[in-house]
Amino acid sequence: MTKSTVYLETTVISYLAASPSRDVVVAAHQHLTKAWWDQRVRFELFVSQAVVDEASRGDARVAKRRLALLDNIPVLALSGDVHDFAKRLLAAGAVPAKGALDALHIGVAALNRMEYLLTWNCAHIANAAVRGKIEETCRSAGLRAPIICTPEELMEP
């Protein structure tokens, strides 16, 4: 049986590597992310060089934990086509200009035919107000948009 493909956006890795939060919402997201991570063997996981770069930033100890989580996960290239499609997402207003990196995540997932894009970025990616624009931009480019969801939405019942 073929496993579903999942592109992991950086926020998922960040929630896994972070120290437990006192913020109730963030702590819940961390808990759900860890529960999903325990089920990850059901999926074929991928990241991009953008995820690796983002995971490398910040506090060196936490960055080391984030990078360790990425071990053995294939890294998808940020090709010229990915950059071109990210620009198309920005030009279409599917992602705001300040979300250029988010457009790269969407682009790499769509161009590599990922079934899912897993994220906690509910401002520019997993957002009902923009999801339709993302899907339309993908369709107009002859691509199928990945299913954009949070770890909570991709849990086995």
Side-chain angles (χ1 to χ4, degrees):
M1 184 166 100
T2 305
K3 294 181 179 183
S4 296
T5 56
V6 176
Y7 176 84
L8 297 173
E9 187 266 340
T10 316
T11 55
V12 174
I13 300 302
S14 293
Y15 273 71
L16 285 169
S19 299
S21 178
R22 292 182 184 174
D23 180 284
V24 175
V25 174
V26 173
H29 288 176
Q30 289 175 319
H31 175 77
L32 289 164
T33 304
K34 287 178 178 150
W36 181 86
W37 189 253
D38 291 341
Q39 298 180 10
R40 74 187 181 281
V41 296
R42 298 177 20 231
F43 304 99
E44 189 175 356
L45 306 180
F46 295 88
V47 294
S48 69
Q49 189 59 49
V51 173
V52 174
D53 293 347
E54 283 183 288
S56 300
R57 295 185 190 130
D59 180 278
R61 290 176 298 117
V62 182
K64 186 176 179 179
R65 287 198 303 262
R66 287 191 296 262
L67 292 172
L69 290 165
L70 298 177
D71 275 353
N72 302 315
I73 298 176
V75 178
L76 302 170
L78 295 175
S79 66
D81 288 345
V82 168
H83 284 277
D84 290 345
F85 187 68
K87 290 175 189 167
R88 190 171 181 163
L89 286 162
L90 294 165
V95 178
K98 66 182 176 181
L101 192 52
D102 302 327
L104 277 177
H105 291 302
I106 296 164
V108 76
L111 285 161
N112 284 280
R113 297 181 178 95
M114 295 287 109
E115 292 174 67
Y116 297 96
L117 188 166
L118 199 66
T119 183
W120 280 111
N121 180 336
C122 296
H124 303 142
I125 302 175
N127 181 315
V130 299
R131 192 172 288 142
K133 292 177 188 174
I134 292 169
E135 291 169 358
E136 176 54 36
T137 305
C138 287
R139 271 192 305 277
S140 72
L143 300 169
R144 183 185 56 79
I147 297 168
I148 297 170
C149 58
T150 66
E152 180 178 20
E153 295 173 298
L154 197 55
M155 296 283 286
E156 200 167 65

